[in-house]
Every structure is written in C-alpha cells, then in structure tokens.
Amino acid sequence: MTARKVIIIGSGPAGYTAAIYAARANLAPLMISGFQYGGQLMLTTLVENYPGFVDGVMGPELMQIMRKQAERFGTEVVADDVTAVDFTRRPFHVSAGDTTYEGDTVIVATGASATLLGLPSETALMGRGVSTCATCDGFFFKDQDIMVVGGGDSAMEEALYLSRLGRSVTVVHRRDSLRASKIMQDRALKHPNITLVWDSEVEDILDPAQGKVTAVKLRNVKTGALAERAVDGLFIAIGHQPNTGIFRGQLDLLPSGYVKVVPGTTQTSVPGVFAAGDVQDQVWRQAVTAAGMGCVAALEAERYLEATQAR
Ligand code: NAP
C-alpha cells in the first residue's frame, strides 16, 4: 500500500480545517472521521460565535458545510473508528475497520468529550437549555435564571461568566466543599449574583415534553430531600475527557490525558505526528480555536514533509 502524505484522525472543526488546508496544498489527505462524524458541534443547536455567519448557524449544519468544503478539494473521508495506531515505525500505521492505512504524517484531531450526568432528560434537552459550554450558549440565557453543575474550576469559571449575563446563577455541587482553586472559589462565593447549593445532585431535568428547560429536580445527598428549582438553562461543568485512549503509549500525554505538544505548536512527542483542537487544548475549547489549530497542524505537516523530502 502506498503511504498517504497526511492522515487526519477525527472530524470536528480541527480535523476539517486541517483537511481543507492539506487538500489545497495537494497532499490528498485521508480523513478517518469516526462513525459519528462532526464532533461536539453535532450536539449543539445554534452557533452564534463562529465567524462568517451573521445570523448564526446550526452546529450540525456547520459541520456538514466544513465536510463539503474539505471534500471539494479532494479529501477522502472514511467513516470508520480508528482502533489502533503505530507511531513507532514509518510510515505511521493507523488501523480502522479491516484496513490499516499508512501515512507519512498524522494529524490527531479526536477532540474531547464533556462528562455528562447520564440522565435521559439531559440527552433530550442538550442544546435546548442544557449546555456544556457557557461561552457558546450563555448569551441565549440573558436576564434568565441559570444553573451550573460542578464544583471544580470549570464550574466556577462558567458561573462567573454566566453571572455577567443571567439574572441569577445557582451552582449545584454534590459535596460541602469545592474542588476549585481558592482564587476561583473566592470569586464565585463572593459574587452577589451567584448562589451555591451544597450536597446536592441533579435528579432530573424538566421538561423534555416541552422541549426546553423549565426546572431542575435536586436531591440532597445527605438528607435525601428532593427540591425543584425553576431555571431556564442548565450548564454541566463536571469535567472533560480527551479522546486519547488509542494514543496511550504512542504519544506523550499530560497527566490529565490530553496530548502533550510543544507550546505554541501542534507538534507531539513523535516528529511527523501533530495534534490539533480540543484533544490538546484544555483551556479554550472553542470551535474557532480548534479550527485555527487544525490550520496550523496542516501547515506544520506540510513543512515537515518538505523538510524530510517525503513529498
Ligand atoms: P474537575 O476539576 O475534575 O472538577 C469536576 C467537578 O465536577 C468536581 O467538583 C466533581 O465533584 C464534579 N463532578 C464530577 N462528576 C460529577 C457528577 N457525575 N455529578 C456531579 N458532579 C460531578 O474538572 P474541571 O473543573 O473541568 O477542571 C479540569 C482541570 O482544568 C482542573 O485541573 C482545573 O483546575 C483546570 N481548569 C482551570 C481553570 C482556571 O484556572 N481558570 C478553569 C477551568 C479548568 P467532586 O469535587 O465531588 O469530585
């Protein structure tokens, strides 16, 4: 089998942008998109902060547009899940379905997944009042009552961001002390617009029948008491999991599981393998920042191929 110049693993904004750049540089990229292509934006509704769409664009539609754009320039898309990689030999080996593909370079863009509560009502109302990203969706809850779940830095950050938009912000945490850093705790606890509800878990989210969030049922884990609070939006901020299981032992990962890169680049611990988007970014996690990193990864892959005279 002839090695591909570029293999892209993953099909969110980082993967598609890498594909567009690599395809336009005549590198005929192969994208292994995963059975469920499109990444986290497939779970959202209206996206209003991706530049170029005055009236916003639905998340799945945006991913469809990116896919068409990548294919238009000759990206080949394979809808399989990657099951194994071998970055110890060149060309690199990437296995998906019954096939093992060979690539002179690989761009890892498998993203991260927000940890969820696991309630059926959460799935039903995702993008309809339930969100995992305050920067993305906070604006929809201007002057409304908002709830945030979680006790870590992410939850405090989301609550502080939302406090500038909402009428009220309630943070629900399952214990009686926060995991967040002292400085973030202080900011959130001192904020006049933020209220903490301790020792409580989300039992259910209402009301899937209406197709929007109207209230949240909370259970006090110490007393078992149930309470219902009327809210318009629920932000789940209980952590993220980078999708890096298949890269363990192949690439250096951070203790948090994210791919380790040379700061300011997409270069991983293996020359010729690049990582872009949420799989290497635990700070910004935006579609547009992921897309920017996808661009950088494709340009770095192109430079690498030129330098190693593999093209
Ligand atoms: P995290 O530190 O792992 O905190 C997750 C929080 O969610 C914990 O309080 C945890 O409760 C709670 N939780 C987990 N599963 C839950 C469930 N099923 N139901 C209810 N609550 C649940 O995650 P993170 O806040 O996303 O932060 C990740 C890393 O990024 C951390 O190292 C953090 O410091 C860093 N970060 C830093 C900043 C900043 O400095 N500005 C901002 C964001 C993130 P327990 O406490 O009971 O386990």
Side-chain angles (χ1 to χ4, degrees), residues 117 149-155 157 173-175 179 184 237-239:
L117 300 169
V149 191
D153 280 324
S154 293
E157 201 167 62
H173 182 39
R174 63 183 178 182
R175 290 187 295 126
R179 180 178 295 279
M184 296 296 280
I238 59 174

Side-chain angles (χ1 to χ4, degrees), residues 125 206-212:
L125 293 168
L206 305 173
D207 180 10
Q210 291 186 55
K212 63 176 184 177

